[in-house]
Amino acid sequence: MLDRRDLLGLSAGALTLGGLGAARASELRPAQRPRPPYRVWFQPRQFHRDMSLYRHMTIDASGWLDPALCELTGRTGLRWVYGTQNPFAENSDYWTTELAPPARTSSHLGQPFVGPGVAIDEWVPPQRPGVEQYLADGLRAAKEADPDLFLCVWYTDLREPLVKLIKDGVVDLAIVEGYTHTPERFGPGAYLAWTTCLRRCEEAAAAGTLDNTIFSFGHITDEPHIHGQRLSPEQLTERAEEIKDRYPQMPGVAFYQSDSPDTPELRELVRHCDRLSGRLWPDAPAG
C-alpha cells in the first residue's frame, strides 16, 4: 500500500491533474507569493477543524493543505516534493517535472489555479551517488523556467550546494530541522540535542544565509519522548526566545507537527506555538 509520501512523490507527468496540465498560461490563476515573516507549519493537522489554532500561520510547507484553500484564507500552501532522500531519481527530470506549473495546478477555485511553490523534503546527506547534483540542477532549472516559483527546502546539516542555491536566489527559504522532542514510539535516535540545533543555526550564520533561513521546532506533540518527558509551553517559549535573540536576521519560525492523535492537550500546545510565532515574529506595521 502506498503511503502519503509515495502518493505525493508520484510523477505529475503521469497524472492528468483534472485535464488542466496543458492549460495555457493566460488561463492560469497565479497564487500570491509569501513574504516575511514566514510562520511555517509542517502537517497542520487540525487546520480544517479549527483554523483559529493556526491564526498566525502563513505557510503550510508540507503539502498537507490544498494550496487553493490556503489562498482563500490568506495563506500559502506549498506542494511536497522529495529532496536528496528521493528513492528513484536518476537525473534532474523528477524535480523539473514536479516543480513545473502543471504539477502545481488545480481547479479548486473554479478556474485553473497554480500553487505558488514547492517545499523540498528534505536536503540530507545523500545515500545515492549523484542525487545531490540532480536535485541542485533540477531546482535551478525549475527556477529559471519559472522565476516566480517559491522554493522552500527543509534541511539538516548545511551543505555547500544548498548554500550556493540560497545565495543565487534559487532557494527562497531554508528551514533548519531542529527536532528536540519526538514521541517515544519513534525510538531513541530520533531527536536532537539542543546544542546540535544551535550548531546548525551557527552553520547558517557562518555561511551568510540567515536572511533566508528559519528554525523549525518539533515534534509538536503531547506525547512523551523516550525519557517520559512531555514538551512544555515554557520550554518552547524559552528556546524560541533564544533563537530570536541569537539570530534576529531569521525572518520567521517553523513547527513540525507530529502525527499524534487529536487531543485537547495537543490543541493547546499548537495554539501556544501559534501565539509564540505571532509575538516573536510579528507582521511589519501597516504603511
Side-chain angles (χ1 to χ4, degrees), residues 102-119:
R104 308 190 329 260
T105 301
S106 72
S107 60
H108 294 169
L109 294 182
Q111 67 183 100
F113 172 80
V114 182
V118 170

Side-chain angles (χ1 to χ4, degrees), residues 82-83 86-95 128-131 134-135:
Y82 276 117
N86 188 302
F88 52 80
E90 298 297 337
N91 52 49
S92 63
D93 290 352
Y94 167 82
W95 288 281
R128 297 191 299 120
V131 70
Y134 301 153
L135 171 57

